[in-house]
Amino acid sequence: PNAIAKVLADLAPYRLPTFLVNDGSGPNCEAQLAVLANTYSDWLNVIHRPQNGGKGAATMQGFAAAEAA
């Protein structure tokens, strides 16, 4: 999450719609992502998957969310 926080801070000036998929991470990571989602709520969308489905499943869910937005 620290690396993610850095990337999001770097993206913040651009305020582009951004989708981040939590692919079944534990409660600690989920809590940290919730803080980031609140901090950047006007352009960041965090999607929580109940369990790890692999990189492909997370990527496809992120693409589907972006397409639906």
Side-chain angles (χ1 to χ4, degrees):
N2 290 335
I4 293 169
K6 166 84 171 87
V7 170
L8 293 175
D10 290 345
L11 290 173
Y14 304 103
R15 303 174 61 85
L16 297 170
T18 302
F19 297 86
L20 191 150
V21 179
N22 172 15
D23 195 20
S25 297
N28 184 41
C29 183
E30 190 169 326
Q32 291 176 15
L33 293 177
V35 170
L36 293 170
N38 187 52
T39 301
Y40 303 113
S41 63
D42 55 329
W43 55 270
L44 176 64
N45 299 283
V46 178
I47 301 161
H48 296 280
R49 294 177 51 83
Q51 62 185 9
N52 187 310
K55 183 178 179 179
T59 301
M60 293 306 291
Q61 188 165 3
F63 284 154
E67 186 175 59

